[in-house]
Amino acid sequence: MNTKDYWNQRVKKYGHTGWADFATYYYDQNLRLKTLKDLIEEYSDEFLKALDYGCGTGEFSNLLAQYFDKVIAVDIAEDVIKNAIAANNNSRIHFQTYDEDIFNSQYGLIISITVLQHVTEDRQLSDLISKFLQSLAPNGKLIIFESFAKVNSDYGYIKLRRIEDVKSLLFDSGFKLIQECNFYHPTELPTRLYTKYRTNYFIKVLNKLCIYNIPFSKFVLKNLAKKFSYHDKGIVDDCESITRILIYGR
């Protein structure tokens, strides 16, 4: 199965491109959005344009549209883009399938949320990072959420690399590391509040109902996940996580 077919099938099955487990996905997505919002407010300058590379369902694109006049939201799979367009009605966002022309613009912010691990060919990853640099405005920022491994591990549709290798690629391309943060991981480094949420009996029942597409189950679970995660923080200060946030400039 090629990459496009994989993501087309996944979005048809789950309605999104994230965690297959619904309870995990809804909670995790909330923490990522909260954390990204804080980072945007800290690092973005008065630029007009942002790039969401690997936009998935478009929730991060919608967040960017609160701060930028124009957001280019790109994904490799046609059905993923169709899903994002149907779910989002924002004139500031332009959803499209991948086209190299997107790198002919200058962006004040580029985000890549768990995308690099799905670029399994090392040469393609190196080329992509170079394209990020060429399209980043002089004072722009690149924000990466990514999971890593102690040893390079290729699973076919995903390749977890050593963080040292990815950081070397970024450095060699001309990027300068501004900040690095540990980000919680729902199975490897769960927060106390996430554990409380996942062990809640009602959450467990709702999660099973979502699997069978019981009416309103996803709506209720999504809203409960938002309430549970409201007081949680994705950035973990005192532990090393396999998921990191890397913030780069030129």
Side-chain angles (χ1 to χ4, degrees), residues 27-237:
Y27 195 100
D28 185 73
Q29 193 77 340
N30 282 322
L31 280 196
R32 288 172 185 249
L33 286 164
K34 283 175 58 179
T35 303
L36 180 61
K37 185 178 189 299
D38 291 340
L39 293 173
I40 291 173
E41 291 177 349
E42 181 176 357
Y43 285 107
S44 65
D45 294 319
E46 296 299 321
F47 290 105
L48 302 179
K49 203 171 187 179
L51 172 64
D52 182 358
Y53 189 83
C55 64
T57 55
E59 288 184 282
F60 297 107
S61 308
N62 252 325
L63 176 61
L64 291 175
Q66 297 176 25
Y67 299 89
F68 294 87
D69 289 344
K70 188 171 184 179
V71 177
I72 304 300
V74 179
D75 209 283
I76 194 173
E78 294 86 354
D79 287 339
V80 173
I81 290 297
K82 289 178 183 177
N83 182 285
I85 291 172
N88 301 277
N89 181 21
N90 192 320
S91 61
R92 292 187 175 188
I93 307 172
H94 176 69
F95 289 104
Q96 66 174 81
T97 51
Y98 176 77
D99 186 320
E100 289 202 4
D101 286 346
I102 62 172
F103 296 115
N104 293 332
S105 295
Q106 291 279 285
Y107 301 101
L109 179 65
I110 299 174
I111 65 169
S112 173
I113 313 294
T114 54
V115 174
L116 302 187
Q117 61 196 26
H118 296 294
V119 183
T120 56
E121 296 294 330
D122 292 340
R123 174 178 282 185
Q124 289 182 1
L125 179 60
S126 181
D127 288 345
L128 176 60
I129 289 172
S130 295
K131 289 172 182 173
F132 281 164
L133 184 70
Q134 79 178 36
S135 59
L136 193 67
N139 294 321
K141 302 294 183 294
L142 168 66
I143 298 179
I144 297 171
F145 281 62
E146 200 67 35
S147 291
F148 300 94
K150 292 183 178 180
V151 178
N152 290 338
S153 305
D154 192 340
Y155 302 99
Y157 77 100
I158 185 172
K159 184 175 183 178
L160 297 181
R161 297 174 171 89
R162 297 189 323 134
I163 189 170
E164 295 85 358
D165 295 339
V166 175
K167 288 166 76 172
S168 291
L169 282 175
L170 286 153
F171 177 80
D172 292 343
S173 294
F175 277 106
K176 296 179 181 178
L177 181 63
I178 297 172
Q179 185 179 353
E180 178 180 345
C181 307
N182 285 292
F183 190 75
Y184 102 109
H185 190 280
T187 60
E188 301 297 322
L189 188 63
T191 64
R192 179 182 59 82
L193 288 175
Y194 174 79
T195 301
K196 182 178 180 180
Y197 159 80
R198 285 303 271 119
T199 54
N200 181 281
Y201 176 76
F202 193 44
I203 297 298
K204 290 180 179 179
V205 172
L206 274 172
N207 202 29
K208 290 185 178 181
L209 294 178
C210 288
I211 295 172
Y212 296 103
N213 288 313
I214 304 301
F216 302 109
S217 58
K218 293 176 185 177
F219 175 81
V220 175
L221 180 58
K222 184 176 183 178
N223 281 279
L224 281 174
K226 189 172 184 178
K227 289 183 178 180
F228 269 91
S229 63
Y230 181 79
H231 296 289
D232 207 351
K233 295 174 68 175
I235 292 178
V236 183
D237 297 321

